[in-house]
Amino acid sequence: MPKIGMEKVRKEAVIGATMRCLCKGGFTGLSVKAIAAEAGLSTGIIYHYFRNKEDLLLNVIREAFAQSHQNVMQVVEPLTSQRDKLFKHIESIHSVVLDNPDFYTVLLNFLGQTSNNPEVKKIMTKFLSNLTSYVRRYLEEGVARKEFAPDKTKDLDVMIIALGMGLGIMCTLAPETFDHKQLGESFKSFAEKYVE
Amino acid sequence: MPKIGMEKVRKEAVIGATMRCLCKGGFTGLSVKAIAAEAGLSTGIIYHYFRNKEDLLLNVIREAFAQSHQNVMQVVEPLTSQRDKLFKHIESIHSVVLDNPDFYTVLLNFLGQTSNNPEVKKIMTKFLSNLTSYVRRYLEEGVARKEFAPDKTKDLDVMIIALGMGLGIMCTLAPETFDHKQLGESFKSFAEKYVE
Amino acid sequence: MPKIGMEKVRKEAVIGATMRCLCKGGFTGLSVKAIAAEAGLSTGIIYHYFRNKEDLLLNVIREAFAQSHQNVMQVVEPLTSQRDKLFKHIESIHSVVLDNPDFYTVLLNFLGQTSNNPEVKKIMTKFLSNLTSYVRRYLEEGVARKEFAPDKTKDLDVMIIALGMGLGIMCTLAPETFDHKQLGESFKSFAEKYVE
Amino acid sequence: MPKIGMEKVRKEAVIGATMRCLCKGGFTGLSVKAIAAEAGLSTGIIYHYFRNKEDLLLNVIREAFAQSHQNVMQVVEPLTSQRDKLFKHIESIHSVVLDNPDFYTVLLNFLGQTSNNPEVKKIMTKFLSNLTSYVRRYLEEGVARKEFAPDKTKDLDVMIIALGMGLGIMCTLAPETFDHKQLGESFKSFAEKYVE
DNA sequence: TATGAATGAGGATTCATTCAT
DNA sequence: GATGAATGAATCCTCATTCAT
């Protein structure tokens, strides 16, 4: 087994293992030992690549957010109409619950940390404003191109993201109670009602 | 100091102390010792009133949810028109962020536990379906009384709660980025648009 | 076994155990676990009585220095003549090597810490100036009472302590090479030569 | 950079780096990794030149002692009169505190190891008896050459070394309390008093 | 020779829980 | 009822040492 040029591979392996552990058992009981075992590595090597457990966890959120963002972008970017982009974006956001449930596990587990950990807060704030600004861009551009009516977009970006996140959380927490597919339809029709 | 019949007082004191600790430092460092100190009691006594730490924490969520529910009900119940009830309810939900921020701290801290702890999951599911069913009742009753048009209420209950929770979370996590007051207005106008 | 009023007993037990461990194996390998085992206690209890390992170690030096000082005082105090006090003091200092070898073990082990640990430095400085000031007092008082000639006492206090410590260290480090008893005689005759 | 015949250079570099680390932070935190970093080398190479950490540390004391000895000898050797040699020697010993403070750092840090590590003990004993034997030689030779009176030299060698070491330690530990220069004068006058 | 990735045992510390008082 | 001393398993992290390259 090679020993050189492994930094990226190892870091990814550890981050992935951490996510899997997080999904299995949540924050409580998320030990470095367990992560190392999951990654098939020794505990020591984790400290070779990450300053400490917190540093590792911060990398985990960053990675989870980046991945989720990338997934959405891959689907939305090729589209040309702002309207299509907006609705595809909404659809993508909603389908994260099923396509990438790990994202929600990570999100839900870190939400509680936000108020106590400045670094987590920074990442979380950045992530949320990132999300809204994408939607805002579609809307503004769409208005400019006369795809949407101009006057109704007040706070619509934030509303869409809030609604998407709220639904995502509810569907994740209580999938038996909240029907993911049907709520996805309602989500889209909510947006439609606004932009038309 | 009386030594008998203190059960209710002590339990409430401990639950309150736990909430304060939770708000101060989150789950990390939430030790039984710290809770006891905050409550001005010994660690031992906590085990007299609660089976263990988990039992205490479950009581904390229950209490937080019950309190929050009660606060909303107190404001909404006296009203007679379903429309008034609905909008007052929405307003109340949104103002929890400012009026009772502890509720969000507790909520955010426990969200991550939901998937791993069946008891937390039960409480959380119950809480969420409770929330939606109240809104649904206003809507159905409102339609019956012809306060609202009949055909537009598809999933509106869930949408309102999801949006309310999403906005609440966003305003709690990043108050500098998301303006609570303005979003409250937009929230209400979103609902209005739907029921009219 | 009683559980109350044990603070002093426990603290002493832990400090004593630490000294014994220190004598057995030095600083290296002085683990809290080993100390606890030596004291017949659990590791946890050590942190109940001491903030951390460093706090415990500081208490150990303080205790060692205090004990050593007390031993000397017990012998010297009853004496009335300053000359007697001085020579008894010298004798006592020198016999620490044999009577209380733990003192030297502790001293030698902590000397290296002095430059890096401000608290150790404070204790050490205090201890050394304490030692010299006792000797200085005998000398000054002795001169005042005409027990000693007045002009020869320049730095004699420091010289006596330095010589005592140097001899103590040498006899401790290499007892086969340096004859404790004989050096004690020479030590005294050195002082005599000066005060006469 | 040459790759062969580097043994001596590398060994010296590592020993020097170790001394610098030791002076910076003492024994605590003196890791092979830190030493390697200080020396600008990899950790692996240290094990190429030294059997293990202990072996390296033993070399460090040996080197420190040898250097210190050499420094003294350089100054003393050219002198012809035994009296001059003796006093220059005393002066040199005392000035180590200022001229080569690293020596005392090393000495103080290793003193505690002496009783537990036979190899350290051997080196330390050798060093101390070396020191005294040099002084003894001056004295004996001086008596033979009638530079000193014959009868007063009992244990004077040990006393001088003990006093020198004691003063050195005190001046190193508490330089604000013990005035190096003045004590040097007193040290010399102490010796003078004896040999005259 | 030289590197630095990798290991894993061991250390300090925390903390839920119990129990004698 | 109430206390807080006591336990010891579990946690994070460090570090001497090895070894593939």
Side-chain angles (χ1 to χ4, degrees):
Chain A
M1 51 191 95
K3 271 202 165 193
I4 232 151
M6 289 278 106
E7 171 144 358
K8 218 183 156 193
V9 179
R10 294 276 184 256
K11 277 196 158 190
E12 276 169 15
V14 173
I15 289 174
T18 309
M19 279 194 192
R20 289 194 301 279
C21 286
L22 210 50
C23 294
K24 253 184 264 172
F27 241 164
T28 318
L30 180 73
S31 71
V32 174
K33 204 177 169 185
I35 293 169
E38 173 72 33
L41 295 167
S42 67
T43 60
I45 203 64
I46 289 183
Y47 290 88
H48 187 72
Y49 290 116
F50 299 93
R51 268 204 318 284
N52 49 33
K53 195 184 176 185
E54 193 188 322
D55 181 32
L56 166 57
L57 291 177
L58 290 176
N59 275 281
V60 167
I61 341 179
R62 281 196 206 100
E63 179 68 18
F65 285 179
Q67 255 177 38
S68 167
H69 180 70
Q70 212 177 347
N71 287 346
V72 172
M73 284 303 109
Q74 239 166 18
V75 177
V76 171
E77 213 132 60
L79 302 176
T80 48
S81 133
Q82 298 303 310
R83 164 177 289 268
D84 289 352
K85 282 190 172 189
L86 175 65
F87 284 95
K88 200 68 191 171
H89 199 114
I90 288 173
E91 206 182 290
S92 295
I93 283 177
H94 191 66
S95 61
V96 168
V97 174
L98 297 183
D99 295 351
N100 187 13
D102 288 10
F103 170 80
Y104 268 97
T105 310
V106 172
L107 177 69
L108 294 179
N109 275 292
F110 277 98
L111 281 178
Q113 299 286 314
T114 310
S115 48
N116 305 301
N117 186 321
E119 199 58 35
V120 173
K121 180 162 186 170
K122 218 157 76 184
I123 296 172
M124 201 68 84
T125 303
K126 182 80 185 297
F127 175 67
L128 290 176
S129 52
N130 226 1
L131 284 176
T132 55
S133 59
Y134 269 91
V135 175
R136 192 169 340 112
R137 216 167 301 153
Y138 303 145
L139 294 170
E140 283 170 2
E141 188 74 11
V143 167
R145 298 192 191 172
K146 318 233 163 163
E147 294 183 26
F148 305 135
D151 52 338
K152 298 176 180 162
T153 53
K154 184 76 170 343
D155 280 334
L156 187 53
D157 51 348
V158 183
M159 306 300 275
I160 284 172
I161 296 305
L163 185 49
M165 192 166 75
L167 289 172
I169 290 173
M170 289 170 83
C171 290
T172 300
L173 293 184
E176 319 80 20
T177 309
F178 301 105
D179 181 67
H180 178 262
K181 198 176 166 191
Q182 188 190 312
L183 288 173
E185 296 303 317
S186 301
F187 187 5
K188 270 193 285 184
S189 74
F190 152 76
E192 255 160 27
K193 179 144 190 136
Y194 256 80
V195 293
E196 257 141 44
Chain B
M1 49 185 99
K3 285 211 162 190
I4 234 159
M6 295 302 284
E7 172 142 359
K8 216 182 157 193
V9 180
R10 291 275 187 256
K11 278 198 156 189
E12 276 170 15
V14 173
I15 289 174
T18 309
M19 279 196 193
R20 288 195 300 282
C21 287
L22 209 50
C23 294
K24 252 183 267 171
F27 252 139
T28 316
L30 181 73
S31 68
V32 174
K33 205 175 169 186
I35 293 168
E38 174 71 35
L41 296 167
S42 67
T43 60
I45 202 66
I46 288 183
Y47 288 84
H48 187 73
Y49 290 117
F50 299 93
R51 266 203 324 282
N52 50 33
K53 195 184 178 184
E54 194 188 322
D55 180 33
L56 165 57
L57 291 177
L58 291 175
N59 275 280
V60 167
I61 340 178
R62 281 196 206 100
E63 179 68 19
F65 285 178
Q67 254 177 38
S68 168
H69 181 70
Q70 213 177 345
N71 287 345
V72 173
M73 284 303 109
Q74 239 167 17
V75 178
V76 172
E77 213 131 61
L79 304 175
T80 48
S81 134
Q82 298 304 309
R83 165 177 289 266
D84 288 354
K85 283 191 171 187
L86 176 64
F87 283 95
K88 200 69 190 172
H89 198 114
I90 287 172
E91 206 180 292
S92 296
I93 283 178
H94 191 67
S95 61
V96 168
V97 173
L98 297 183
D99 295 351
N100 187 15
D102 288 8
F103 170 80
Y104 269 98
T105 310
V106 173
L107 177 68
L108 293 179
N109 274 293
F110 277 99
L111 281 178
Q113 301 284 314
T114 311
S115 49
N116 306 299
N117 186 321
E119 198 59 34
V120 173
K121 180 161 188 172
K122 217 156 76 185
I123 296 172
M124 201 68 84
T125 303
K126 181 80 186 298
F127 175 67
L128 290 176
S129 51
N130 225 4
L131 284 176
T132 56
S133 60
Y134 269 91
V135 175
R136 195 172 335 114
R137 216 167 302 152
Y138 304 143
L139 293 171
E140 284 171 1
E141 188 73 11
V143 168
R145 298 191 191 173
K146 316 235 163 163
E147 293 183 29
F148 305 134
D151 52 337
K152 298 177 179 163
T153 54
K154 183 76 171 337
D155 280 332
L156 188 53
D157 52 346
V158 183
M159 307 298 275
I160 285 172
I161 296 306
L163 185 49
M165 192 166 75
L167 289 172
I169 291 174
M170 289 170 82
C171 290
T172 302
L173 295 184
E176 320 80 21
T177 309
F178 302 106
D179 182 66
H180 178 262
K181 198 176 166 189
Q182 187 190 312
L183 288 173
E185 296 303 316
S186 301
F187 187 6
K188 269 193 286 188
S189 75
F190 152 74
E192 255 159 27
K193 178 140 190 146
Y194 257 83
V195 294
E196 256 141 44
Chain C
M1 51 190 97
K3 272 202 163 193
I4 231 153
M6 288 280 107
E7 171 142 359
K8 219 183 155 192
V9 180
R10 294 276 184 257
K11 278 195 157 191
E12 276 169 14
V14 173
I15 289 174
T18 308
M19 278 194 193
R20 288 194 301 280
C21 287
L22 210 48
C23 294
K24 252 183 268 172
F27 241 166
T28 317
L30 179 73
S31 71
V32 173
K33 206 176 169 185
I35 293 169
E38 173 71 33
L41 296 167
S42 66
T43 60
I45 203 64
I46 289 183
Y47 289 87
H48 188 72
Y49 290 115
F50 299 93
R51 267 204 320 284
N52 49 34
K53 194 184 178 186
E54 192 188 323
D55 181 33
L56 165 58
L57 291 177
L58 290 175
N59 275 281
V60 167
I61 339 179
R62 281 197 205 98
E63 179 68 18
F65 285 180
Q67 254 178 37
S68 169
H69 180 70
Q70 214 177 345
N71 287 344
V72 173
M73 284 304 109
Q74 241 166 17
V75 178
V76 172
E77 213 133 61
L79 303 175
T80 48
S81 134
Q82 299 303 310
R83 165 177 289 267
D84 288 353
K85 282 190 174 190
L86 176 65
F87 284 94
K88 199 71 189 169
H89 198 113
I90 288 173
E91 205 182 292
S92 295
I93 283 177
H94 191 65
S95 60
V96 168
V97 174
L98 297 183
D99 295 351
N100 187 14
D102 289 9
F103 171 80
Y104 269 98
T105 310
V106 172
L107 177 69
L108 293 180
N109 275 292
F110 277 99
L111 281 178
Q113 299 285 314
T114 309
S115 49
N116 305 300
N117 186 321
E119 198 58 35
V120 173
K121 179 161 188 171
K122 218 157 75 185
I123 296 172
M124 202 67 84
T125 303
K126 181 82 183 298
F127 175 67
L128 290 176
S129 52
N130 226 3
L131 285 175
T132 56
S133 60
Y134 269 91
V135 175
R136 194 172 335 114
R137 215 167 301 153
Y138 303 144
L139 294 170
E140 284 171 0
E141 188 74 12
V143 168
R145 298 192 192 172
K146 317 234 164 163
E147 294 184 26
F148 305 135
D151 53 335
K152 300 178 177 161
T153 54
K154 184 77 174 333
D155 280 332
L156 187 54
D157 50 350
V158 183
M159 306 299 275
I160 285 173
I161 296 305
L163 185 49
M165 192 165 74
L167 288 172
I169 291 174
M170 288 170 83
C171 291
T172 301
L173 295 184
E176 318 82 20
T177 309
F178 301 105
D179 182 67
H180 178 262
K181 198 175 166 190
Q182 187 190 313
L183 289 172
E185 295 304 317
S186 300
F187 187 6
K188 268 193 285 187
S189 74
F190 151 76
E192 255 158 27
K193 179 142 192 143
Y194 257 81
V195 294
E196 256 139 45
Chain D
M1 51 186 97
K3 286 210 161 192
I4 236 159
M6 295 302 285
E7 173 142 358
K8 217 181 157 195
V9 180
R10 292 278 186 251
K11 277 197 157 191
E12 276 170 16
V14 172
I15 289 173
T18 308
M19 278 194 192
R20 287 194 301 280
C21 286
L22 209 50
C23 294
K24 252 182 265 170
F27 251 140
T28 316
L30 181 74
S31 67
V32 174
K33 205 176 169 185
I35 293 169
E38 174 71 33
L41 297 167
S42 67
T43 59
I45 202 65
I46 288 183
Y47 288 84
H48 187 74
Y49 291 117
F50 298 93
R51 265 205 325 283
N52 50 31
K53 195 183 177 185
E54 195 189 321
D55 180 33
L56 164 57
L57 291 177
L58 291 175
N59 275 281
V60 167
I61 341 178
R62 279 194 207 101
E63 178 68 18
F65 285 179
Q67 253 177 40
S68 170
H69 180 70
Q70 211 178 346
N71 287 345
V72 173
M73 283 304 110
Q74 239 167 19
V75 178
V76 172
E77 214 132 60
L79 303 175
T80 48
S81 133
Q82 298 302 309
R83 166 178 287 267
D84 288 353
K85 283 190 173 189
L86 175 66
F87 283 95
K88 200 69 189 170
H89 199 114
I90 288 174
E91 205 181 291
S92 296
I93 283 177
H94 190 65
S95 61
V96 168
V97 173
L98 297 183
D99 295 350
N100 186 15
D102 289 7
F103 169 80
Y104 268 98
T105 309
V106 172
L107 177 69
L108 293 180
N109 275 293
F110 277 98
L111 280 178
Q113 302 283 316
T114 310
S115 48
N116 306 299
N117 187 320
E119 197 58 35
V120 174
K121 180 160 185 171
K122 219 157 73 186
I123 296 171
M124 202 69 83
T125 303
K126 181 82 183 298
F127 174 68
L128 291 175
S129 51
N130 225 1
L131 285 175
T132 56
S133 60
Y134 268 90
V135 175
R136 194 169 339 113
R137 216 166 301 153
Y138 304 143
L139 294 170
E140 285 171 359
E141 187 74 10
V143 168
R145 297 191 193 172
K146 317 234 163 164
E147 294 183 27
F148 305 135
D151 53 335
K152 298 175 179 163
T153 54
K154 183 79 173 332
D155 280 331
L156 187 53
D157 51 348
V158 182
M159 306 298 275
I160 284 172
I161 296 304
L163 185 49
M165 191 166 74
L167 288 172
I169 291 175
M170 288 170 84
C171 290
T172 302
L173 295 184
E176 319 82 20
T177 310
F178 301 106
D179 181 66
H180 178 262
K181 197 175 167 191
Q182 187 189 313
L183 289 172
E185 296 304 316
S186 300
F187 187 6
K188 269 193 286 186
S189 75
F190 151 76
E192 255 158 28
K193 180 146 188 133
Y194 258 80
V195 294
E196 257 140 44

